[in-house]
Amino acid sequence: MSSPSVLTVLTAAEAADRAAAHAAAVHARTSAHLHRRARGEKHPVEDFLYTYYPFTPGQLATWHPGAGLAVRVGDTDAVGSAGTTTPSVGSGTSHVLEDVTTHVAGSDSADAVGADSTHAVEDDTAAFVEALAGRKWYRTDGSTVTLDLPAWHAARGDGARFIRDLLERTLNREGTFGCFGLHEWAMVYKQTPDEVRHDDVPLRLTHAQTDQVVEGHRIRCSHFDAFRFFTPDAKPLNELSPERQTMREMEQPGCLHGGMDLYKWAMKLGPIVPSEVTLDAFDLASDIRVLDMEASPYDVRDWGYGFVAIETPEGKAEYVRRQREFAARGNEIRRRLIHAIDAVFEGGPPAPGRA
């Protein structure tokens, strides 16, 4: 497998600026979690993205240009090949670059930028390109840093084929919008207060009322990783029996957990996915997680959230409205991930692979 036939080449300054902007965006999204973790504090909504998915904020902050982009070596000119100017060093943004020992840092005022600071930025930009070239999955190819696609294919090719097949099947399947988030309710069904997973978060209803909600609804959970957390008493109530082996046959775009999993797939695909796509997937997962918990049996109002009373007609309507919005956003990310995969396989879409 070779590189994409047409490469867009970024100057070193353009690439460093994109990396810095990405790192800053990730920092804005994850700093509260990092501070809570340092204090040993738990969060019933946000922690999920860092415990259920095995990816750190540092991994998310690592910038990847994506398939089809390369970075020119030794080019720190102020004007790039496409006529794009290097960003002002005095923007006031702290340029934190993952895997770079020296940071591209901004001063508080553009008036402070002089010859010395310009040379410092050039030196740090060169250090960024050197670090990028030395990162896993990258190599220097003549005058550019590009993806090391042969190495990536050897390590991730089969997984990418599986992911693409799953994404395409899900994309082409009608969404189901009548589950009302009952998977969370099934996870506490018939449990005692001591058995509830989030034992530091109160239930919105009593335990008996919570059980009645489960018993009064059809449960049709299609996501195997949600289903496996059902209580033993709840599992027989599910009309479906999802398993890991049946993921490709059962995943559908209306599933909240399937939408959150797009973050996982983007991270597993790694450097072939542009970081802006991965960040969009993270944002979608974050937004979905809010609904996941607001519509759950837990009461998260003490953490600044609302609640969606899915046991009422109004709550059901609210859940479905937001669920449909997430499905549309998720399908757009699925298309972008499929595009990234197809860009690194010659001869069209790859044949389905194994998980």
Side-chain angles (χ1 to χ4, degrees):
M1 303 292 178
S2 61
S3 300
S5 57
V6 178
L7 283 175
T8 298
V9 180
L10 301 175
T11 66
E14 290 168 342
D17 182 54
R18 292 189 186 191
H22 175 71
V26 172
H27 176 74
R29 290 159 170 80
T30 62
S31 60
H33 162 74
L34 292 173
H35 286 127
R36 283 193 304 270
R37 188 178 69 181
R39 297 191 299 266
E41 297 177 6
K42 295 181 179 180
H43 194 288
V45 179
E46 295 184 11
D47 284 354
F48 177 85
L49 296 178
Y50 308 99
T51 56
Y52 179 74
Y53 297 114
F55 311 114
T56 66
Q59 289 172 310
L60 178 61
T62 301
W63 177 76
H64 297 289
L69 286 179
V71 178
R72 185 176 296 119
V73 175
D75 184 353
T76 58
D77 292 342
V79 180
S81 60
T84 304
T85 58
T86 302
S88 169
V89 182
S91 63
T93 301
S94 176
H95 290 216
V96 183
L97 303 179
E98 185 73 13
D99 293 337
V100 181
T101 56
T102 51
H103 297 162
V104 180
S107 65
D108 292 332
S109 169
D111 295 336
V113 180
D116 289 343
S117 59
T118 300
H119 288 309
V121 170
E122 289 179 353
D123 290 344
D124 287 349
T125 301
F128 162 74
V129 175
E130 182 179 355
L132 179 67
R135 222 189 264 167
K136 188 177 183 179
W137 312 123
Y138 289 90
R139 66 182 182 183
T140 301
D141 187 3
S143 62
T144 59
V145 178
T146 63
L147 287 175
D148 187 351
L149 287 180
W152 181 88
H153 276 288
R156 301 286 180 89
D158 283 346
R161 292 181 180 92
F162 171 84
I163 293 170
R164 190 200 185 283
D165 188 42
L166 173 67
L167 295 174
E168 185 173 47
R169 291 193 191 200
T170 306
L171 186 62
N172 293 331
R173 192 169 288 136
E174 289 292 328
T176 300
F177 301 101
C179 69
F180 307 122
L182 284 161
H183 59 279
E184 287 286 345
W185 297 72
M187 293 178 192
V188 301
Y189 181 62
K190 296 292 187 182
Q191 285 189 332
T192 66
D194 293 337
E195 295 172 324
V196 172
R197 180 162 46 102
H198 295 291
D199 56 0
D200 55 341
V201 184
L203 296 183
R204 186 167 53 82
L205 305 176
T206 68
H207 281 266
Q209 290 170 330
T210 299
D211 291 345
Q212 289 170 6
V213 171
V214 175
E215 293 162 356
H217 290 79
R218 293 179 63 191
I219 302 181
R220 290 181 54 82
C221 180
S222 59
H223 194 276
F224 86 95
D225 218 16
F227 177 62
R228 71 186 181 95
F229 289 104
F230 280 29
T231 66
D233 288 319
K235 284 189 175 182
L237 302 178
N238 196 28
E239 296 181 6
L240 304 174
S241 298
E243 300 176 351
R244 183 179 296 273
Q245 293 77 11
T246 61
M247 283 180 65
R248 288 182 280 194
E249 287 71 39
M250 301 194 74
E251 285 279 302
Q252 48 88 18
C255 175
L256 263 61
H257 273 265
M260 287 191 286
D261 283 350
L262 292 171
Y263 168 56
K264 173 177 69 176
W265 302 132
M267 290 294 287
K268 282 184 174 291
L269 289 167
I272 71 166
V273 178
S275 283
E276 59 266 26
V277 177
T278 302
L279 192 58
D280 283 348
F282 178 84
D283 286 345
L284 176 61
S286 299
D287 292 343
I288 290 176
R289 177 60 179 169
V290 172
L291 177 61
D292 194 38
M293 288 300 286
E294 288 186 336
S296 77
Y298 298 102
D299 189 343
V300 291
R301 283 175 287 184
D302 285 348
W303 285 266
Y305 299 95
F307 68 92
V308 179
I310 57 95
E311 70 274 16
T312 68
E314 296 79 11
K316 286 180 171 65
E318 172 68 7
Y319 185 91
V320 171
R321 181 188 66 79
R322 290 164 69 175
Q323 187 182 26
R324 288 186 179 276
E325 291 176 356
F326 293 144
R329 287 172 61 185
N331 278 343
E332 179 57 30
I333 292 173
R334 287 183 180 93
R335 294 185 186 96
R336 295 163 76 186
L337 292 176
I338 289 172
H339 177 76
I341 296 170
D342 288 351
V344 297
F345 282 92
E346 296 176 347
R354 62 179 184 271

